[in-house]
Amino acid sequence: SWSYRNDSYSASVNQLFKIDDDRTLTFNINYLYDRQKQDSHSITDYYLRNDSFWIINEINRAVNHINFLGGNFVYKLNSRKLYLKDKSSLNFNFSRVNDALEEDTGDVGQRFNVNDFNFRNSFCLLTNRGIFGRSFTSELSVYHTHTDLSLPEIHRNFLYNRFFIENGINLLTFNFRLLKIVLDGKAGGRSSHITTDFLQKNDVSYQEYNVLLNPTVMLFQQGKIQFTV
């Protein structure tokens, strides 16, 4: 015999606010709950040489739970002198699976859990005034996941963390007749950390940092030639 049941619920909220003629705020929030349950029962008869029977009675139960909550938020400013956009997203995921096998010789169960967290942010600022700092951008990401597996007399873990950031800025934009000089800069870094004991115990970390300056010289005459270095 076999049976299956699925219960699923979801909710979503979306909203746009117009703060004034230049500014808006948008957000949406989503939630999902999902539960799946499976049950099976089997009886198997084996005929042996000595005119006897070997009967195997198995009951298998599995339950899978998913809980997800996520949101996105966007703030935007668009005026004659300034453009600004800030976007953020935040997600949580909690999942677990429980399995159980019942036999005449004994019971075996396992539990598998996964917990995730993810945050992302992007920022952009543009202006048409002055020769310094006409633009600024930023990207940020944070991710975390934790997985654990439990069996009879066995427990295993996996942990992973990741971080990333990159910032960019326009340091100088200068125009003189047919000559245009632009100096941009970037700075950022990333790191990750893994801890696991699935096959053997491991603890690994990684870091990377960078700084970049990008000068650009353009010689142009509108509609005729353009030369960039």
Side-chain angles (χ1 to χ4, degrees):
S1 63
W2 182 85
S3 67
Y4 173 80
R5 177 173 177 174
N6 178 225
D7 297 315
S8 184
Y9 307 95
S10 65
S12 179
V13 177
N14 299 275
Q15 189 66 54
L16 169 64
F17 295 101
K18 184 177 181 181
I19 302 173
D20 53 35
D21 292 338
D22 299 328
R23 295 179 297 167
T24 59
L25 175 64
T26 307
F27 74 86
N28 67 79
I29 300 175
N30 302 287
Y31 173 74
L32 171 66
Y33 170 82
D34 188 82
R35 182 179 185 269
Q36 301 177 35
K37 183 180 180 182
Q38 302 180 46
D39 293 283
S40 64
H41 183 200
S42 65
I43 299 177
T44 307
D45 296 338
Y46 292 94
Y47 179 73
L48 304 179
R49 290 182 178 180
N50 56 0
D51 293 332
S52 62
F53 290 90
W54 181 26
I55 301 176
I56 299 179
N57 186 11
E58 290 184 343
I59 299 176
N60 196 335
R61 296 186 175 93
V63 181
N64 183 12
H65 290 86
I66 296 176
N67 279 283
F68 172 82
L69 178 64
N72 296 281
F73 308 88
V74 180
Y75 173 78
K76 186 183 294 186
L77 168 63
N78 191 3
S79 65
R80 293 182 179 180
K81 299 179 180 179
L82 185 68
Y83 173 81
L84 184 151
K85 183 178 181 181
D86 185 78
K87 181 178 180 180
S88 298
S89 64
L90 183 64
N91 296 318
F92 297 92
N93 179 42
F94 305 99
S95 303
R96 71 179 186 272
V97 178
N98 295 319
D99 288 334
L101 177 62
E102 301 177 9
E103 295 181 327
D104 296 333
T105 56
D107 300 339
V108 178
Q110 72 172 17
R111 186 182 75 250
F112 185 71
N113 296 328
V114 178
N115 298 322
D116 291 335
F117 165 78
N118 186 21
F119 173 76
R120 296 180 63 90
N121 177 263
S122 63
F123 179 84
C124 177
L125 174 66
L126 302 174
T127 180
N128 56 11
R129 301 185 64 184
I131 64 173
F132 301 106
R134 283 196 172 187
S135 67
F136 177 78
T137 60
S138 179
E139 295 286 338
L140 174 68
S141 174
V142 179
Y143 177 73
H144 166 84
T145 182
H146 179 212
T147 303
D148 69 84
L149 173 65
S150 295
L151 295 166
E153 300 180 2
I154 298 176
H155 187 78
R156 295 292 183 261
N157 280 280
F158 175 80
L159 184 66
Y160 177 56
N161 293 295
R162 183 182 69 231
F163 176 81
F164 170 82
I165 187 171
E166 182 176 80
N167 297 317
I169 186 172
N170 170 249
L171 300 171
L172 174 67
T173 300
F174 179 71
N175 295 286
F176 179 72
R177 295 185 179 179
L178 304 181
L179 188 66
K180 183 176 183 179
I181 300 174
V182 179
L183 179 61
D184 295 323
K186 284 188 177 182
R190 66 182 69 212
S191 66
S192 61
H193 183 209
I194 298 175
T195 304
T196 179
D197 59 359
F198 269 80
L199 299 177
Q200 61 181 4
K201 289 187 176 181
N202 290 293
D203 194 325
V204 181
S205 297
Y206 171 79
Q207 292 88 30
E208 177 186 325
Y209 307 96
N210 59 79
V211 177
L212 173 67
L213 289 177
N214 183 29
T216 304
V217 178
M218 291 182 286
L219 179 64
F220 66 93
Q221 186 174 0
Q222 189 173 1
K224 295 184 178 180
I225 64 170
Q226 178 173 322
F227 180 73
T228 304
V229 179

